[in-house]
Amino acid sequence: MKKNLAKLTSLLLGMTMMFSLASCGQQGAKESEPASSTPAETGSVESSGGNESGKNKLAFFLPMTGDQMQYGLSLSRGAELALKQYNEAHGTNYVVEINDDKGDPTEAVNVANKIVADSTVIAGMGSFSSSCAMAAAPVFEEADLLLFSPNASHTDFPSMGKNMFSAVMSQKYEGAEFADALIERFGTQNVALLYQNTDHGVIATDVFTKEYEAKGGSVISKETFVPGQTTDFSPVLSKIKEQNPDLLYVNASYSDCAQILMQAKSLNINCQYVCPGMALTEEFLGVVGNSIDGTVVLSSVPAFLPSVLESSKLDDAMQAFVDSYTETYNEVPDGFAASAFDAVNIVLDACEKVGTDTPALREEIAKLRDFPGVSGYDMQFNENKEMVKGIYMFEIKDGQFVVAE
């Protein structure tokens, strides 16, 4: 949601990165570890911090290089901030380690094998993409080590083993909640769906369609495209225009979503436009400006963009998160940073209650109810270890995102 960062020069997996946090001592990583470790205090901990079992590390694997690196950066920053604040508040010495999976499932497996071989690791924490998290899941399950993803939303991820959890809402619940939110806002309508041909796009579209039609709405058109390859959407949009929809819901990344809706506008497809939370970026607004004012954006995570912050009041926890993140990194956080922040706090809260052994941890985490997080509201795990939470609705007004009234 933040910035479209330039692609960094490829980093060797064996490079050791070390991040030093303010007011925290520096703990050296072993030269053989291809990761960055962010420690808090290096002093001993009497009753917490994982020292009794020798475990004190949360090992993240994220895309720190490659096309997805901007997401990895946001996630890593949210995790490091959470760790710093948790250690300072509790007098603990937990450590965050950042490993680069390059956004590649094969590399994620390689990193997962390294993580499970480290006896100081409490949990694996990754990845940005569901594909990487799911590729690594069997490694963690075989090792009986917790895998808590800050961003995996694939419907199958939680069921891949007893140790799998995610901080974000499962696609099957998010898609259904989006359908319900649109019906509540606009009533039952004729909807055209245009979605990216990915696992996420297919699943989200299927779930949305089932829920929307079950509640009395009509999905009159479903069209797909290949992300990263399609630039001219006029042929498929012309087909949609012939159906005369009341709503056009585009399930795509912010860049594709912006291009699609701008082209829809030029083709005079005059209906209500709807986007998913992926569009909640300044880059999206930089493309569309005020040309598609009235567009609705649905998200299961909050937005911390300046225009949103000006039009709504955050609760105390979210405001404190935004303030501390902005002070630390000189930019406002996005939903990815918030999800990683919550993921760290959920796992460490469980550690403080039951220790660092995996069986006790997973049992405690599964009990999570009404978690006061910064990446959503009404956060809880259901009986299938799936995260469910409330839905936010935003709209574009005068070329800015605001909370929908």
Side-chain angles (χ1 to χ4, degrees):
M1 289 173 56
K2 287 306 301 166
K3 299 178 181 177
N4 208 2
L5 301 176
K7 188 174 182 181
L8 294 179
T9 311
S10 179
L11 299 178
L12 294 175
L13 185 61
M15 178 178 290
T16 303
M17 301 182 292
M18 180 67 67
F19 297 91
S20 296
L21 294 175
S23 74
C24 300
Q26 187 173 22
Q27 175 177 311
K30 296 180 180 178
E31 292 182 0
S32 60
E33 293 182 352
S36 84
S37 294
T38 303
E41 301 168 1
T42 56
S44 62
V45 177
E46 294 181 3
S47 62
S48 60
N51 282 2
E52 292 182 4
S53 66
K55 294 182 177 182
N56 73 333
K57 183 185 294 182
L58 302 183
F60 278 78
F61 53 105
L62 303 168
M64 302 306 296
T65 57
D67 294 338
Q68 299 173 347
M69 62 166 290
Q70 68 268 33
Y71 304 115
L73 181 61
S74 288
L75 289 162
S76 66
R77 285 178 169 179
E80 289 166 349
L81 181 61
L83 178 90
K84 175 180 181 292
Q85 293 183 354
Y86 198 94
N87 281 335
E88 289 176 348
H90 295 82
T92 49
N93 70 335
Y94 293 109
V95 175
V96 160
E97 177 182 85
I98 308 296
N99 298 276
D100 184 11
D101 66 18
K102 304 175 184 177
D104 177 62
T106 300
E107 189 64 26
V109 173
N110 294 335
V111 175
N113 279 303
K114 167 194 168 294
I115 291 172
V116 300
D118 185 346
S119 62
T120 68
V121 171
I122 299 168
M125 310 285 287
S127 175
F128 161 70
S129 70
S130 292
S131 58
C132 284
M134 294 173 72
V139 178
F140 288 93
E141 190 67 12
E142 183 177 356
D144 197 24
L145 190 67
L146 189 73
L147 174 55
F148 197 111
S149 174
N151 200 60
S153 62
H154 195 286
T155 56
D156 293 337
F157 176 69
S159 64
M160 291 187 70
K162 57 185 178 295
N163 296 316
M164 311 306 148
F165 295 86
S166 179
V168 297
M169 200 168 181
S170 170
Q171 292 169 11
K172 69 181 179 183
Y173 295 106
E174 187 177 67
E177 291 291 335
F178 283 3
D180 291 342
L182 289 179
I183 290 175
E184 182 177 352
R185 172 89 172 180
F186 301 108
T188 53
Q189 302 277 308
N190 293 323
V191 178
L193 303 176
L194 178 54
Y195 62 96
Q196 56 188 351
N197 190 13
T198 63
D199 282 348
H200 180 278
V202 171
I203 293 172
T205 299
D206 287 347
V207 171
F208 178 93
T209 300
K210 291 177 181 177
E211 179 71 8
Y212 197 78
E213 292 183 335
K215 295 294 179 64
S218 298
V219 176
I220 59 174
S221 176
K222 289 198 289 187
E223 301 290 343
T224 187
F225 69 94
V226 179
Q229 296 183 22
T230 309
T231 57
D232 181 8
F233 298 95
S234 57
V236 67
L237 287 171
S238 295
K239 291 174 62 178
I240 289 174
K241 182 178 181 180
E242 293 175 357
Q243 301 297 316
N244 193 29
D246 300 309
L247 283 81
L248 170 59
Y249 177 24
V250 180
N251 190 326
S253 66
Y254 76 84
S255 55
D256 284 332
C257 203
Q259 294 301 322
I260 289 169
L261 293 183
M262 290 297 287
Q263 292 179 37
K265 185 74 172 179
S266 68
L267 290 172
N268 294 316
I269 301 179
N270 298 316
C271 65
Q272 176 65 54
Y273 297 158
V274 181
C275 299
M278 290 182 283
L280 287 168
T281 67
E282 295 285 6
E283 290 83 1
F284 177 86
L285 293 177
V287 175
V288 304
N290 61 2
S291 61
I292 55 171
D293 276 7
T295 295
V296 165
V297 181
L298 300 170
S299 178
S300 59
V301 296
F304 304 114
L305 298 174
S307 58
V308 174
L309 296 178
E310 290 173 3
S311 65
S312 63
K313 179 175 174 58
L314 300 178
D315 63 32
D316 292 343
M318 285 188 180
Q319 189 63 60
F321 167 67
V322 171
D323 291 344
S324 59
Y325 189 99
T326 303
E327 180 180 359
T328 302
Y329 300 112
N330 198 32
E331 61 181 26
V332 295
D334 58 18
F336 299 110
S339 292
F341 186 91
D342 281 347
V344 168
N345 278 291
I346 289 171
V347 174
L348 294 187
D349 279 348
C351 289
E352 290 300 290
K353 291 177 181 178
V354 301
T356 59
D357 289 340
T358 298
L361 271 180
R362 65 179 179 242
E363 181 178 348
E364 180 63 27
I365 291 173
K367 299 176 183 176
L368 187 77
R369 300 291 185 274
D370 298 322
F371 179 72
V374 300
S375 65
Y377 65 96
D378 294 341
M379 296 177 63
Q380 59 186 310
F381 287 113
N382 66 13
E383 65 277 7
N384 297 316
K385 304 191 286 87
E386 298 162 316
M387 175 62 74
V388 291
K389 57 174 92 171
I391 297 297
Y392 297 91
M393 181 178 290
F394 307 93
E395 64 179 327
I396 301 177
K397 183 177 181 180
D398 297 327
Q400 298 293 326
F401 291 116
V402 298
V403 176
E405 297 178 357

